[in-house]
Amino acid sequence: MSTSSKLASDVPPSDEISDGVPEKRHLRVGFVALSDAAPLVVAKRLELGHEHGLTLELSREASWAAIRDKLITGELDAAHSLYGLVYGVQLGIGGPREDMAVLMVLNRNGQAVTVTPSLADAIAETGDLRRALASLGRKPVFAQTFPTGTHAMFMNYWFAAQGIDPLTDITSIVIPPAHMVAAMEEGGLDGFCCGEPWHAVAQARGLGRTVTVSSDIWPNHPEKVLACRRDFVTRYPNTAQALVRTLLSACQWLDMPGHRAEAAGWLAEPAWVGAPRDLIAARLLGDFGRLSGRHALLAVSFFDEGAVNYPHPSDGMWFVSQYRRWGMVGEAAVAEAARTAAAVNQTALFEAAARAEGVPVVAQFAAQTLCDGRVWDATVAADLAAYVDGFAIRAKSAD
């Protein structure tokens, strides 16, 4: 049965559908073993979906590629997803193209870059990443989690901000988040960028040291999203809205006093993340040890009175700008970026769900200064081609 036929077969007869009642009540939702899957785990443990007529079945997936493939085939109804995974699939970069949807942002901040202890020492001694990497005497090898994902784009941005061309000066490989620590232990890897708690685990085991967190690259950056195929929204609009309401409740719960520590205990269970509770809890609460940064080192944020969760189309446009910067898409993708983002990011659906939950709708696009000093705001987003042209380090094909 084709995916579209499968979706159609799940739609109840029209006389069973009434306003606000979910058209599909049992949802299979994917996640990857990371601390920022907390909203999904909380929603399941507390069965928050029941209030909205939903039963959630969570499916732990081994990699972001598995999330992508199962969303495309319809094996998953929705997923905890890298923002950049959604846009990569939408643009057909590195795999099948499919019309995708971002229903809401699940978290901001909460990622990091960890390197080997010897490289961390070299960075501390030289105060210069480029010189520290040169001391290796070979091309450095860094891992990220998905070619179009947040970690790949943030790591590229971080290197370029310090005069390092990530396309020519770095060997970049893809490793699933939960395998990063094992890869560090095996050797041959100089550093990695992914979500927690794998940085905390690597550091606790003496295999690596965190040298920067993602909020120092882009304060309050968008990170994981609640993603689905766009035809899921079209066929099941009430279900999609009910799912957003459920996850908004979970995100709000995580911001309440004491709840992150409780959630860390759940995440530590083998079914979810399977890492030590104390390591999960520390970084959920923003404890990075003695690490310092150019910006305040912001903990992962799940709600912040609704400011976290609005699916700003401008966030998606930023990813398109970076795909162009690194030669992954052509000029046409940049020219169409605003239209693409308006189609992918389900702002009207989100606003309806937020209002139904009594959550403030924070739709204003706040300006942010990234680690290279460049500002990302509405004015810049309106001229995306000029924004890309302003980067000194970029792929030759983007010139």
Side-chain angles (χ1 to χ4, degrees), residues 118-192:
S118 59
L119 182 54
D121 287 341
I123 293 171
E125 290 168 8
T126 64
D128 182 89
L129 179 61
R130 189 177 185 86
R131 288 171 58 196
L133 292 177
S135 71
L136 296 173
R138 53 171 173 77
K139 185 181 283 192
V141 179
F142 277 73
Q144 37 83 9
T145 63
F146 194 77
T148 64
T150 318
H151 309 115
M153 296 303 104
F154 285 178
M155 195 162 65
N156 280 4
Y157 204 100
W158 181 66
F159 282 131
Q162 299 174 82
I164 299 161
D165 187 333
L167 300 186
T168 60
D169 298 338
I170 303 292
T171 296
S172 177
I173 62 174
V174 176
I175 297 176
H179 297 173
M180 291 292 187
V181 176
M184 290 290 277
E185 188 168 29
E186 290 170 5
L189 190 62
D190 298 301
F192 66 89

Side-chain angles (χ1 to χ4, degrees), residues 3 6-7 24 28-32 57-79 85 89 96 98 100 146 227-229 231-232:
T3 301
K6 180 181 183 299
L7 286 169
K24 185 174 184 180
R28 185 172 173 83
V29 183
F31 74 98
V32 168
E57 175 191 352
L58 299 192
S59 178
R60 175 171 164 166
E61 304 298 340
S63 67
W64 293 117
I67 291 282
R68 174 199 61 198
D69 294 345
K70 291 184 179 183
L71 281 173
I72 289 174
T73 61
E75 293 177 69
L76 295 174
D77 295 301
L85 182 153
V89 172
E98 185 66 60
M100 299 295 290
F146 194 77
C228 64
R229 287 165 50 120
D231 58 6
F232 181 88

Side-chain angles (χ1 to χ4, degrees), residues 89-258:
V89 172
Q90 179 65 40
L91 296 171
I93 307 172
R97 202 204 76 79
E98 185 66 60
D99 283 338
M100 299 295 290
V102 168
L103 302 181
M104 64 181 286
V105 177
L106 293 172
N107 72 286
R108 293 179 183 270
N109 306 319
Q111 318 300 294
V113 177
T114 288
V115 302
T116 61
S118 59
L119 182 54
D121 287 341
I123 293 171
E125 290 168 8
T126 64
D128 182 89
L129 179 61
R130 189 177 185 86
R131 288 171 58 196
L133 292 177
S135 71
L136 296 173
R138 53 171 173 77
K139 185 181 283 192
V141 179
F142 277 73
Q144 37 83 9
T145 63
F146 194 77
T148 64
T150 318
H151 309 115
M153 296 303 104
F154 285 178
M155 195 162 65
N156 280 4
Y157 204 100
W158 181 66
F159 282 131
Q162 299 174 82
I164 299 161
D165 187 333
L167 300 186
T168 60
D169 298 338
I170 303 292
T171 296
S172 177
I173 62 174
V174 176
I175 297 176
H179 297 173
M180 291 292 187
V181 176
M184 290 290 277
E185 188 168 29
E186 290 170 5
L189 190 62
D190 298 301
F192 66 89
C193 181
C194 73
E196 295 291 358
W198 306 115
H199 300 279
V201 172
Q203 188 156 302
R205 293 179 57 184
L207 299 170
R209 291 216 298 271
T210 298
V211 292
T212 193
V213 296
S214 54
S215 67
D216 207 36
I217 299 170
W218 178 0
N220 290 316
H221 65 81
E223 182 48 42
K224 304 301 188 305
V225 297
L226 181 62
C228 64
R229 287 165 50 120
R230 206 176 311 158
D231 58 6
F232 181 88
V233 178
T234 303
R235 293 175 181 275
Y236 312 130
N238 293 343
T239 300
Q241 187 175 139
L243 183 58
V244 172
R245 292 181 67 179
T246 299
L247 270 299
L248 277 172
S249 295
C251 289
Q252 189 171 24
W253 185 92
L254 280 161
D255 263 13
M256 295 176 182

Side-chain angles (χ1 to χ4, degrees), residues 9-33:
S9 70
D10 288 334
V11 180
S14 59
D15 59 0
E16 293 183 16
I17 300 174
S18 60
D19 288 346
V21 176
E23 304 89 350
K24 185 174 184 180
R25 298 175 178 86
H26 183 97
L27 299 181
R28 185 172 173 83
V29 183
F31 74 98
V32 168

